[in-house]
Amino acid sequence: MAEAKVAPRPLSPHLQIYRWSWTMAMSVAHRITGSALYVGIALFAIWLVALASGPAAFDAVQWFFGSPLGYLILFGYTWVLMHHMLGGVRHLVWDFGYGMEAVQRINMARFTLIGSIVLTVAIWVIAFLLF
């Protein structure tokens, strides 16, 4: 019985071949922010458990989140949430078949980054003005 010849399988290009683009960077950022949302939800769960545990535990958690490090973590989580949300909107637009031209894709990727920064700052400014 003769052995069948197997055609060599194509190899995937290595990352060194690709040139980084806005859409590629925002795709990677979307995945990273999606993973970071798990950390934020864990922090929110810690806050809820402290709330249910009594005044001493809640005061300790409130103290931490009210510290400069806590504010930095909450600010970062706000940006992660806004960036992931705008990335999801970008993908939703693509799902409807819009924004597929090269210039439109790049502009949408830039808007994802710039929009997430603007929204994050706006949320924090409004929060500080109201509270």
Side-chain angles (χ1 to χ4, degrees):
M1 180 171 186
E3 288 186 37
K5 289 187 178 182
V6 177
R9 296 178 56 184
L11 298 176
S12 298
H14 296 282
L15 290 176
Q16 294 87 353
I17 293 173
Y18 290 115
R19 287 182 30 210
W20 276 91
S21 65
W22 274 93
T23 52
M24 183 186 295
M26 290 303 102
S27 177
V28 170
H30 186 73
R31 287 170 173 81
I32 291 170
T33 56
S35 297
L37 288 174
Y38 285 104
V39 175
I41 291 300
L43 292 174
F44 182 63
I46 290 169
W47 183 81
L48 287 175
V49 168
L51 179 64
S53 297
F58 184 70
D59 288 342
V61 171
Q62 282 294 93
W63 173 85
F64 174 75
F65 284 124
S67 71
L69 178 61
Y71 274 130
L72 183 63
I73 290 169
L74 292 173
F75 185 84
Y77 183 71
T78 306
W79 177 78
V80 163
L81 187 61
M82 293 299 104
H83 191 277
H84 196 76
M85 178 192 70
L86 290 177
V89 170
R90 182 170 53 108
H91 283 273
L92 181 65
V93 169
W94 287 345
D95 287 344
F96 282 101
Y98 300 107
M100 296 301 229
E101 299 298 322
V103 173
Q104 292 171 332
R105 284 193 321 266
I106 291 171
N107 286 338
M108 288 172 68
R110 287 177 179 157
F111 172 77
T112 301
L113 180 61
I114 295 166
S116 64
I117 293 168
V118 169
L119 282 173
T120 300
V121 170
I123 288 168
W124 277 78
V125 166
I126 291 168
F128 274 115
L129 290 176
L130 291 178
F131 301 104

